[in-house]
Amino acid sequence: MKLKNTMNVSEMLDEAYDQYKKMFFQQLGVSLVCYISAVILLMLTLGLSLGVMLTTAVLGNSIGSILLYGTIAAFMALLVLGLWQGAASVLAWQVWIGATPSVGIALKRMFGSLLRIASVCLVEVTAAVPVVFLAFQAVVPLDNAEFEMTPGTAVALLVCALILVIGWLLASTWLYFAIPCCVLEKRWHVSAVARSISLVKGDFKTVLSGRLSFWMSTIALQYSLYGVITLSVAAMGMLPSSDSSIYQGISVLQVFLSSIAPLLLAPLPHVFSVLSYANQRIKKNGLDIELELHNRQVALAAGKRELLARQNASGQAGGAYEYPI
């Protein structure tokens, strides 16, 4: 493995798309597994929601029961996204170090990190509960029949909503590397959050601008894909045919392609987050030098020929993936 240099935002954007092409089918397989896991967790959430509904029936429609239901739903949603990000992060990490991406290793690491990812999600939800409570208290008067919406109140609500969005963006940037720290460094709850904050500290503007730039480029790519799908389906619809079932089939095809497009693009943000994570580790911790030293130590201990045989057998590059990062 050659020493890697730090990258600027535009270089990371190019690298993210380039790496995604190298592991497209592996990322797609992981996405499908995570979708299945999401359905299972959704069923569990519905079961918990039933319990909350029964609690609400006993306690009445109180803010406590509503917050309980919202907390459970938010935790489950974050857990699903965290698991998905964890598996996608492992694949991206393998490609970054020059290893062959393995869905099996990615899923093994994902499910092996379930409790660690859940602990980080719990910290995030716990920190958000007071904010949600205050926002709920501000919205409750709107349900009053005597309440009258005025221009001043509308502006105040819009400002509050804007503050919440900006606050979420800032907070999520500080926690941007929490899941990669869970999966790649095997850190728990507060340790993963603290590690993420330490990696972002001093480079907050760079990390934030990188996130926003990648987000905008992904949106542009997604709408371009939608445009290609729409034009293709429209061209098919212009073909001469008197059978109405043909047009119905075309409509179904358009819905299917438009639904699958987000699935194809969903792993991209996770790939970019790992590149940003590795970039910050190189900048702050000399990760590239550590990996290179580790590879040389392994080569000296095992012998070059044996090392190459082990790489071919495990699909790993120079033992770098085994390195306790």
Side-chain angles (χ1 to χ4, degrees):
M1 175 183 174
K2 297 181 179 179
L3 291 178
K4 294 180 177 290
N5 298 321
T6 56
M7 297 178 288
N8 56 36
V9 174
S10 62
E11 290 173 336
M12 284 193 293
L13 289 173
D14 294 337
E15 184 70 14
Y17 287 110
D18 183 59
Q19 287 195 10
Y20 183 53
K21 290 187 293 183
K22 296 178 181 179
M23 54 179 164
F24 174 78
F25 292 104
Q26 290 87 349
Q27 288 283 10
L28 182 60
V30 164
S31 298
L32 292 176
V33 171
C34 290
Y35 266 7
I36 296 174
S37 302
V39 172
I40 296 175
L41 288 174
L42 178 61
M43 294 175 63
L44 293 175
T45 303
L46 291 176
L48 292 172
S49 299
L50 179 60
V52 174
M53 291 173 62
L54 294 176
T55 304
T56 303
V58 174
L59 299 178
N61 190 18
S62 64
I63 184 174
S65 60
I66 295 175
L67 278 178
L68 178 61
Y69 172 76
T71 301
I72 293 174
F75 175 77
M76 289 298 183
L78 286 175
L79 182 59
V80 171
L81 293 176
L83 290 172
W84 191 346
Q85 182 181 359
S89 297
V90 173
L91 287 176
W93 177 259
Q94 289 176 315
V95 173
W96 182 76
I97 64 174
T100 302
S102 170
V103 175
I105 293 178
L107 295 178
K108 182 179 179 181
R109 277 292 188 100
M110 179 189 75
F111 290 113
S113 304
L114 174 62
L115 294 180
R116 288 192 294 271
I117 293 174
S119 69
V120 171
C121 295
L122 185 61
V123 171
E124 294 176 351
V125 170
T126 302
V129 166
V131 179
V132 175
F133 176 79
L134 293 176
F136 184 84
Q137 291 292 340
V139 174
V140 165
L142 300 179
D143 194 36
N144 192 334
E146 299 179 357
F147 178 81
E148 181 179 356
M149 179 67 73
T150 63
T153 304
V155 171
L157 289 175
L158 288 175
V159 171
C160 290
L162 183 61
I163 292 174
L164 288 176
V165 171
I166 294 176
W168 169 82
L169 182 61
L170 297 178
S172 62
T173 300
W174 285 110
L175 302 177
Y176 191 44
F177 304 125
I179 297 300
C181 289
C182 276
V183 180
L184 300 177
E185 300 186 36
K186 298 183 178 180
R187 292 177 179 267
W188 289 82
H189 39 78
V190 178
S191 176
V193 171
R195 177 66 159 176
S196 178
I197 292 174
S198 68
L199 290 175
V200 175
K201 186 178 180 180
D203 293 309
F204 181 84
K205 292 182 179 179
T206 302
V207 176
L208 178 59
S209 63
R211 289 187 64 193
L212 294 176
S213 299
F214 188 77
W215 177 65
M216 289 186 290
S217 69
T218 304
I219 290 179
L221 178 61
Q222 184 169 342
Y223 277 100
S224 298
L225 185 58
Y226 284 155
V228 172
I229 292 173
T230 302
L231 291 175
S232 301
V233 172
M236 293 175 60
M238 293 175 63
L239 295 176
S241 175
S242 58
D243 190 354
S244 61
S245 62
I246 298 296
Y247 292 100
Q248 293 177 358
I250 292 175
S251 299
V252 172
L253 178 63
Q254 183 177 11
V255 172
F256 172 76
L257 293 177
S258 299
S259 301
I260 201 174
L263 175 65
L264 300 178
L265 299 178
L268 275 170
H270 306 324
V271 176
F272 183 79
S273 69
V274 170
L275 288 177
S276 299
Y277 163 82
N279 204 48
Q280 292 303 113
R281 287 289 309 274
I282 291 174
K283 185 183 297 185
K284 292 179 175 290
N285 308 131
L287 174 64
D288 54 337
I289 298 176
E290 293 179 17
L291 291 175
E292 180 67 18
L293 289 175
H294 173 73
N295 291 341
R296 293 187 180 185
Q297 290 172 357
V298 172
L300 290 174
K304 186 174 181 180
R305 181 175 299 177
E306 181 182 353
L307 177 64
L308 292 174
R310 184 167 56 180
Q311 289 177 11
N312 294 332
S314 63
Q316 296 176 359
Y321 186 69
E322 298 173 350
Y323 183 75
I325 59 172

